[in-house]
Amino acid sequence: MKHRRWLSALALLLALLLPAAAMAEIVDAEQPTEVAEAGEPLAGPGDVESGADTARPLEPVELSELSEAPAEPALQAEAPGVPEAPGVPEAPGVPEAPEAPADGTAALPEMTDDVFAGMARGTASDEADDDQAEWAAFAAPNELSSFPEKLCMGLGESLTLDATQALGGRAVYRSSNPAVVTVDTATGKVKAQKKGTAIIAAMNEQKQLAYCNVAVLAKPKRVSLSRSVLALNPGADFRLDVRLPKRTASATLTFTCKPESVATVDASGVVHAVRAGEAVVTVATYNEQTASCKVIVLDGATPKGVSLSQATALMGKKEKLQLTPVLEEGAAAAYAWSSSNRKVATVSASGVVTAKRKGTAKITVTTHNGMTATCAVKVVKAPGAIKLSKSQLKMKEGDTARLTATLPSGTASRLTWKCEPEGVVTVDDTGVVTAVKAGKARITVSTFNNQEKTCDVWVLTAEEYSRASGEIMADRLRKNSAVGEKREALANIVQLLVDNGFEPAFAAGVAANVKCEGSYGFFESSRYISNPKARPRYFAYLDGGEYWKNGVLNTVYLSKEEYASYQAPAGVTKALRLGEGKAPEKYYWNKYSKKYAWEVNLTELEKLLDYLEEGGWVGKFGLGITQWTGGRTKGLVKVYRKHAGNGSSSITQEQVIAAENEMIVNELKTTYAFVYNNWKDSNSKRTGADAAASAGSIFCLKYEVPANKETAARTRAGVARTLYGIMMG
């Protein structure tokens, strides 16, 4: 077949040089007649925004309210080996053009058989052989030139070829295979008659020739565009590719756009955005097959970058989160969203993230012009509960306070805050409450899965506030740095006492003792033992053999026999430690001494107290802010349990403080009510700071009872005066 092509080309050249009689002896060269599958448009139309080399915008762009229709199968690429049309050689000895007629029209020579004899005549068969299968769509149908070297037409299609520019003047035309393609000799109008191939030749006055290789394929039954939705910023350009089914063609395509006030389109499918709005671009084939693309012209400039409303997100399983893209001022964009791990988190076309299961994922947003931003998402368990720092709150008009919501460890959720009725207070997304006007309101905080807690808020006028409630007094202590490190605990005990009916002055005296005492939840060493060797088992739990007596630290060791005979209470692990540098070797334990309640196991502590109680409390130790001992310690641990909740064997520092303050209030209302009554009897004529000083002294002497109680009582009376002044504002 390749030899036949060379023979064809040689025959064409000889046609210009030899007489017609000689040409008759040349055997016609066979031409391919059938066309293989059509392919992609050869010109590869693409993005022309900001010049031919500009990168194409995001493909596809998924707009939030629109979906992209699947594209039709693309045309095949141009097949190798398509016969090239011969050039336009100028033959020597061509007669001069005849003189122009008087009417000004030039005479064209007739394209006689001897001139045209060199053109191979196709067989116009309906079946393509192997060589003909090399033919493909010669030119992109939306880039048809006036006289292309290669042309692919659909069956029954008509168009006009104009070789004027190619030959530099008027031309006459002839087809090598009129059964496949006919041509009007004078006008160049061609029509595809039958599937196959042909060559259209054009000749000018000087008998110079130009050729167009034509392949005729089936009529297209449909047409599609490379985009069904297109987003552009005003002033931007974008070329739409045309796609036809395989083995079909349409050399002529018609593009329209309505309304043109929003966007325009040229003959090659380049869309130009004019102003914000929506338009529709339609392409039509010669046989009226159509496809459309919705063009959205955005109301803003092309974005230079994009960010997201948050760069990280911690979410509970099944939670949803709205991510919002942020552009520079004046810019506008359409967005596409994606997730790096759809098993962990998915994202919708509008940026709504849904947490699927525990793990991590990266959510990416991409603008229509290729700008990107990400949000790192971590998914954990959904919360089964929520806690709120306060259930009641009293405020003065214009003041602010913060409520803190806490979720169980290892869970997550966005928090939603609301207030009813509106107008009394406001609450923001972080729990900051602002008092607007006098009245009562309820604040509710909730998780995405409907776990919630409430806080009742009373807003007082300035006059009401000046009379001060327990919470207001506590808040004044809490905000005053001069109160010291214990101000949160002091605020808590004052509020409890005042809310339980105790006078503010007496509450100041109790708070002064708490301020001057030791630490909440602290285990004292065994200073209460008079004969430690008589009950060595106690030290096995408490001090590791250490005890205080008369200000001196002593050490008690158990002999091997004593240790071997020692029986630990049920549920308590028996352990031993070698006493270094002692002879003979002695063993002891170290369990509680000088530790805090939040460092030990409450269940084991209860068993220790049961054991000591069985021994008549011979071994006692001090625990907590007032060093409770013996049976009072057992009562304190019960309050610990209450505040720890859910039968927990561990407790937090905050829970210890609340429990011990509650223990003080409970004892002052029951077994130690005499302390409060004694103060009331002694202060019938005292008020204000003097009454507070008296309370500080009496509480020290009759409830706290430290070793140096007389000196301590005077000190604590002075502290009570100071605290009372702060409490009352």
Side-chain angles (χ1 to χ4, degrees):
M1 286 297 183
K2 292 183 179 178
H3 293 298
R4 292 173 186 161
R5 294 192 195 116
W6 284 107
L7 288 172
S8 175
L10 180 60
L12 290 170
L13 291 173
L14 290 175
L16 300 174
L17 302 175
L18 299 178
M23 286 297 299
E25 298 178 2
I26 298 177
V27 179
D28 288 347
E30 182 181 352
Q31 291 292 325
T33 59
E34 188 58 70
V35 179
E37 294 185 359
E40 292 282 359
L42 294 181
D47 195 351
V48 297
E49 182 174 356
S50 302
D53 294 332
T54 303
R56 178 183 300 217
L58 171 66
E59 182 173 2
V61 174
E62 296 180 8
L63 299 178
S64 59
E65 74 276 15
L66 298 168
S67 61
E68 174 115 15
E72 293 290 344
L75 296 175
Q76 282 181 260
E78 179 182 354
V82 177
E84 295 290 338
V88 190
E90 183 173 349
V94 175
E96 294 184 2
E99 186 174 339
D103 61 2
T105 61
L108 285 171
E110 181 182 358
M111 189 178 286
T112 60
D113 288 343
D114 62 331
V115 175
F116 195 68
M119 295 184 59
R121 301 179 184 276
T123 61
S125 71
D126 291 329
E127 299 296 331
D129 60 24
D130 292 340
D131 187 51
Q132 292 164 350
E134 296 178 359
W135 285 61
F138 296 142
N142 54 342
E143 290 190 340
L144 179 64
S145 66
S146 58
F147 197 81
E149 291 184 3
K150 301 173 183 178
L151 177 63
C152 193
M153 299 176 66
L155 189 62
E157 184 175 5
S158 296
L159 56 87
T160 298
L161 294 176
D162 184 0
T164 301
Q165 184 175 357
L167 294 175
R170 292 184 302 157
V172 292
Y173 304 88
R174 188 163 178 179
S175 170
S176 69
N177 195 342
V180 174
V181 180
T182 61
V183 62
D184 185 285
T185 302
T187 64
K189 182 176 181 180
V190 298
K191 183 173 183 180
Q193 303 288 354
K194 185 178 181 180
K195 290 194 293 183
T197 60
I199 298 174
I200 302 298
M203 185 175 69
N204 65 6
E205 296 172 354
Q206 288 77 33
K207 295 188 177 180
Q208 293 173 319
L209 297 174
Y211 298 92
C212 174
N213 292 276
V214 180
V216 177
L217 303 180
K219 295 180 179 180
K221 294 183 179 180
R222 59 185 181 278
V223 63
S224 67
L225 290 170
S226 54
R227 295 285 183 86
S228 62
V229 178
L230 177 64
L232 295 172
N233 298 95
D237 295 328
F238 185 88
R239 174 171 289 171
L240 292 172
D241 291 343
V242 179
R243 296 170 181 174
L244 299 174
K246 291 181 180 181
R247 301 180 183 275
T248 68
S250 177
T252 53
L253 297 170
T254 304
F255 284 93
T256 58
C257 183
K258 295 181 180 181
E260 293 187 342
S261 60
V262 173
T264 61
V265 64
D266 67 13
S268 62
V270 176
V271 181
H272 177 72
V274 178
R275 64 173 177 84
E278 292 186 3
V280 175
V281 171
T282 301
V283 63
T285 65
Y286 75 94
N287 63 330
E288 299 181 349
Q289 300 298 315
T290 62
S292 297
C293 171
K294 182 177 182 179
V295 179
I296 299 175
V297 181
L298 304 167
D299 190 11
T302 303
K304 298 178 180 179
V306 64
S307 61
L308 285 172
S309 49
Q310 56 190 87
T312 61
L314 181 63
M315 302 175 67
K317 183 179 177 182
K318 297 185 179 180
E319 185 175 3
K320 292 184 182 294
L321 171 67
Q322 175 69 65
L323 291 178
T324 304
V326 181
L327 305 174
E328 70 268 22
E329 186 176 356
Y335 306 100
W337 296 85
S338 64
S339 170
S340 65
N341 192 340
R342 292 179 57 83
K343 292 182 179 180
V344 171
T346 59
V347 61
S348 73
S350 59
V352 177
V353 180
T354 301
K356 294 291 187 179
R357 71 180 188 187
K358 292 175 64 176
T360 59
K362 182 184 290 185
I363 303 300
T364 301
V365 63
T366 306
T367 66
H368 67 286
N369 66 322
M371 303 292 106
T372 64
T374 61
C375 175
V377 174
K378 182 177 181 181
V379 179
V380 296
K381 293 192 299 184
I386 185 174
K387 293 183 179 180
L388 195 55
S389 55
K390 294 180 180 180
S391 60
Q392 294 184 339
L393 185 62
K394 292 183 180 179
M395 305 174 66
K396 182 175 66 175
E397 290 175 331
D399 282 354
T400 60
R402 180 182 292 278
L403 294 175
T404 302
T406 307
L407 301 177
S409 177
T411 68
S413 172
R414 75 182 187 282
L415 299 177
T416 302
W417 299 83
K418 65 179 182 179
C419 181
E420 295 178 338
E422 296 180 354
V424 176
V425 298
T426 61
V427 60
D428 68 13
D429 291 340
T430 65
V432 174
V433 182
T434 302
V436 178
K437 66 178 183 180
K440 181 181 178 181
R442 171 166 288 185
I443 292 174
T444 302
V445 60
S446 58
T447 65
F448 79 92
N449 59 337
N450 300 319
Q451 303 296 322
E452 64 178 37
K453 279 290 185 292
T454 61
C455 176
D456 291 322
V457 183
W458 288 267
V459 178
L460 308 176
T461 64
E463 182 180 355
E464 291 171 331
Y465 191 81
S466 65
R467 294 197 289 270
S469 66
E471 185 171 3
I472 295 171
M473 294 178 189
D475 192 57
R476 288 170 176 166
L477 289 172
R478 191 177 287 110
K479 292 178 179 178
N480 194 311
S481 59
V483 174
E485 294 181 355
K486 291 184 182 179
R487 58 181 178 270
E488 184 63 36
L490 299 184
N492 182 269
I493 188 66
V494 165
Q495 183 173 342
L496 274 175
L497 288 165
V498 173
D499 289 348
N500 276 273
F502 294 90
E503 284 82 352
F506 183 79
V510 175
N513 277 268
V514 170
K515 177 175 172 59
C516 296
E517 265 303 319
S519 301
Y520 284 90
F522 185 71
F523 286 85
E524 297 285 341
S525 58
S526 55
R527 65 175 68 244
Y528 297 100
I529 302 300
S530 58
N531 186 8
K533 290 186 178 180
R535 291 284 180 177
R537 289 185 239 181
Y538 163 66
F539 294 103
Y541 282 93
L542 188 64
D543 300 324
E546 297 178 353
Y547 74 102
W548 288 89
K549 185 175 178 67
N550 299 326
V552 178
L553 179 64
N554 298 278
T555 304
V556 174
Y557 293 90
L558 303 182
S559 67
K560 292 182 179 179
E561 292 76 14
E562 289 175 324
Y563 178 78
S565 64
Y566 170 69
Q567 298 296 321
V572 177
T573 303
K574 182 177 180 180
L576 59 89
R577 186 173 66 160
L578 177 66
E580 298 176 2
K582 305 296 180 182
E585 291 182 349
K586 306 288 184 180
Y587 300 88
Y588 60 84
W589 285 358
N590 183 359
K591 190 75 174 180
Y592 298 101
S593 186
K594 299 179 183 178
K595 293 187 177 180
Y596 291 90
W598 49 86
E599 296 178 299
V600 304
N601 185 288
L602 296 182
T603 300
E604 291 189 13
L605 178 58
E606 286 177 326
K607 291 176 181 178
L608 168 62
L609 293 171
D610 290 338
Y611 173 75
L612 296 178
E613 186 176 34
E614 290 174 4
W617 299 110
V618 174
K620 295 189 295 184
F621 57 90
L623 172 61
I625 191 68
T626 64
Q627 294 90 56
W628 283 279
T629 61
R632 294 174 71 193
T633 310
K634 286 195 70 174
L636 175 62
V637 174
K638 288 181 180 179
V639 183
Y640 280 171
R641 284 282 203 179
K642 170 187 170 184
H643 282 263
N646 299 324
S648 175
S649 291
S650 61
I651 190 170
T652 66
Q653 183 176 2
E654 292 76 15
Q655 290 169 342
V656 165
I657 292 172
E660 292 190 13
N661 285 346
E662 182 177 322
M663 182 74 173
I664 292 172
V665 174
N666 289 343
E667 287 191 332
L668 287 172
K669 293 172 68 174
T670 55
T671 55
Y672 280 79
F674 69 92
V675 176
Y676 175 68
N677 293 330
N678 185 273
W679 171 78
K680 290 186 68 175
D681 293 341
S682 302
N683 289 278
S684 58
K685 296 182 180 180
R686 290 177 180 161
T687 58
D690 289 339
S694 173
S697 176
I698 288 175
F699 191 86
C700 177
L701 294 171
K702 298 185 178 296
Y703 184 94
E704 183 61 39
V705 196
N708 55 342
K709 61 182 181 180
E710 298 296 336
T711 302
R714 290 191 292 271
T715 300
R716 296 176 189 188
V719 173
R721 284 180 178 275
T722 302
L723 294 179
Y724 181 81
I726 295 171
M727 289 162 53
M728 303 310 291

